[in-house]
Amino acid sequence: MKNLVERLDAAIEENSTAMAAMSDDFAAHPEISGEEARSSAILVEALKKAGFAVEYPCLGIPHSFLASKGKKGGPKAAVLVEYDALPEIGHACGHNLHGAMSVLAGTALAPLIDETGGELLVIGSPSEETNGAKVEMAEKGIFDGCDFAIMIHSHCGKSIVTYRSLALFPVEFIFTGQTSHAAASPWEGRNALNGAQLFFHAVDMLRQHVRPEVRMHGIISEGGAAANIVPDRAVCRFYFRAPKRAYLDKIMEKIYNCARGAALATETEVSWSRFEVPFKDMLPNESAENMLEEIMEGLGIKVSPNNETFGSSDMGDVSYCCPAVQPELDISEGRVIDGHTRAFAAATTTAAAHEALKKGAKTIGRAVLRVLTEPELREKMRADYKAGIL
């Protein structure tokens, strides 16, 4: 193992400058979810040069890829890659940096897989910020048989191993009524916007009767065309989140009752449907997390305790398929910067971020080496996974 780690580190050091330049290039040319043609092609080319067999795109998902190295039938580890940006503010979630980090780790691991045995997958997952390709990938079985899946996410302020995310269910509600002249004959109308407004109030009242970790937030995307017309159509979009998908399913029944009640009270009609893909919560895996904390601290990374959740991620769906982790790695030397801001996007191109890229790649690489070569560790992680999904 010592020899493998030394060779891993040497390869990461050798290639880190090029990968940092790649990350900065992605920052300069951000591609939003569903439009990652350039970014994915550059990542695929790097993996092909490292000797991976690459399917691009894979599973019928645009801009996705599956790079594989090693022999099937033995232990199998997956490294996840993200590369989509946010509208207007670019790589304000750091996908440019931690996407390059995963590929740096994968290319450094490639020459070692014949010695470790097993199989290494490097999986490109587009559209994390919207429809989350990992959800469809999980449904289509790409993670079946994996002993371990890992991706490190960029963070500013501290590093944590015990990443937790909320289950997410996105729903669009459409209220329909009847137009009329708002001054001359308002009694002839049925105000769809009133239905939507009453629904918002009902959701607000529901907050008193759900657990404090639950998040319910929405907008009205359509509410009428003119002030002197009673609107016959109003549309609102909501994200509903909870610590566990099973609990979220129970909450959704209450939400639908709120919508029905609002429509009944305003003599309108309401329908609803998903407008994006729902995400599962992130399952814990104590054995894998203990391993990651040991590795990160060995690399001089201070690991902080965590008692909070970090929004929602399609990595949660991966954790329902196999043992999975997504540590958050500080890229700003302790400087706290909120995600999804221009300041965060700028932080991904600093010298501190480039150093974090190297340490993150080494963390991923060491973790994969341990999983592929330690049967007892794989058994413990599998036991934690099975306990988590019950």
Side-chain angles (χ1 to χ4, degrees):
M1 176 60 75
K2 181 179 179 182
N3 177 261
L4 291 172
V5 170
E6 288 175 350
R7 290 157 61 193
L8 173 82
D9 286 358
I12 288 172
E13 291 289 343
E14 180 180 352
N15 295 318
S16 63
T17 300
M19 286 297 177
M22 177 192 291
S23 171
D24 290 354
D25 176 67
F26 290 167
H29 303 90
E31 295 176 307
I32 63 172
S33 299
E35 299 181 9
E36 309 97 320
R38 180 179 180 272
S39 304
S40 59
I42 291 172
L43 293 166
V44 163
E45 186 60 29
L47 291 163
K48 285 181 176 178
K49 285 183 179 179
F52 283 88
V54 182
E55 181 183 351
Y56 173 59
C58 73
L59 301 176
I61 302 171
H63 315 311
S64 68
F65 58 82
L66 171 61
S68 58
K69 193 83 165 58
K71 295 182 179 179
K72 301 180 185 296
K76 181 164 63 172
V79 176
L80 281 298
V81 187
E82 295 178 344
Y83 34 94
D84 61 321
L86 290 156
E88 297 185 358
I89 57 177
H91 275 288
C93 208
H95 296 188
N96 58 315
L97 186 72
H98 62 250
M101 182 189 300
S102 289
V103 172
L104 177 56
T107 55
L109 284 164
L112 310 178
I113 297 303
D114 289 340
E115 297 176 46
T116 63
E119 185 179 13
L120 172 64
L121 307 179
V122 180
I123 301 172
S125 57
S127 301
E128 191 276 337
E129 296 291 352
T130 55
N131 279 316
K134 298 183 196 69
V135 176
E136 185 175 352
M137 290 176 163
E139 291 173 348
K140 291 183 175 179
I142 199 169
F143 303 106
D144 292 355
C146 282
D147 295 284
F148 181 58
I150 182 171
M151 190 196 82
I152 289 178
H153 199 286
S154 304
H155 192 67
C156 286
K158 62 182 178 181
S159 299
I160 65 165
V161 168
T162 53
Y163 171 83
R164 302 290 181 264
S165 66
L166 297 169
L168 164 70
F169 204 81
V171 189
E172 179 179 79
F173 297 84
I174 300 176
F175 287 83
T176 55
Q178 173 63 51
T179 59
S180 68
H181 195 295
S185 56
W187 51 85
E188 297 291 345
R190 291 180 288 117
N191 195 317
L193 181 58
N194 284 351
Q197 289 175 302
L198 194 57
F199 174 56
F200 268 78
H201 289 309
V203 170
D204 284 342
M205 291 177 184
L206 182 60
R207 297 180 198 278
Q208 182 182 359
H209 305 291
V210 297
R211 297 189 61 83
E213 300 87 0
V214 171
R215 300 290 182 266
M216 302 185 288
H217 42 101
I219 61 166
I220 293 177
S221 53
E222 295 181 42
N228 64 346
I229 303 172
V230 172
D232 66 344
R233 176 180 166 90
V235 181
C236 47
R237 287 185 166 186
F238 271 82
Y239 281 155
F240 301 99
R241 309 178 198 245
K244 288 291 181 182
R245 179 58 188 270
Y247 182 50
L248 183 56
D249 289 342
K250 293 179 180 179
I251 292 170
M252 293 311 302
E253 287 306 313
K254 298 178 186 292
I255 293 296
Y256 300 144
N257 283 336
C258 288
R260 293 183 185 104
L264 180 63
T266 55
E267 295 187 316
T268 57
E269 296 177 352
V270 64
S271 62
W272 54 81
S273 61
R274 283 174 13 198
F275 67 92
E276 288 178 358
V277 173
F279 294 167
K280 291 184 173 70
D281 50 292
M282 185 80 184
L283 294 178
N285 192 292
E286 184 178 359
S287 298
E289 290 165 355
N290 288 342
M291 172 190 65
L292 262 295
E293 184 168 350
E294 179 184 329
I295 289 171
M296 291 172 73
E297 289 182 343
L299 287 166
I301 301 169
K302 180 183 177 182
V303 177
S304 299
N306 177 49
N307 296 310
E308 59 181 313
T309 55
F310 287 78
S312 304
S313 169
D314 57 356
M315 195 68 181
D317 287 72
V318 181
S319 74
Y320 274 76
C321 298
C322 66
V325 291
Q326 184 182 284
E328 297 272 328
L329 180 63
D330 178 26
I331 66 169
S332 60
E333 296 181 322
R335 189 161 57 101
V336 177
I337 305 172
D338 289 337
H340 290 206
T341 63
R342 287 184 172 85
F344 194 105
T348 69
T349 61
T350 63
H354 294 165
E355 184 63 27
L357 184 149
K358 287 195 293 184
K359 288 188 176 182
K362 290 176 182 179
T363 298
I364 293 170
R366 281 165 165 75
V368 169
L369 289 175
R370 287 195 58 180
V371 169
L372 293 180
T373 59
E374 297 181 23
E376 290 185 4
L377 175 60
R378 294 197 298 271
E379 290 176 7
K380 290 179 180 178
M381 291 193 306
R382 179 61 58 175
D384 288 347
Y385 160 72
K386 289 180 177 178
I389 60 175
L390 293 178

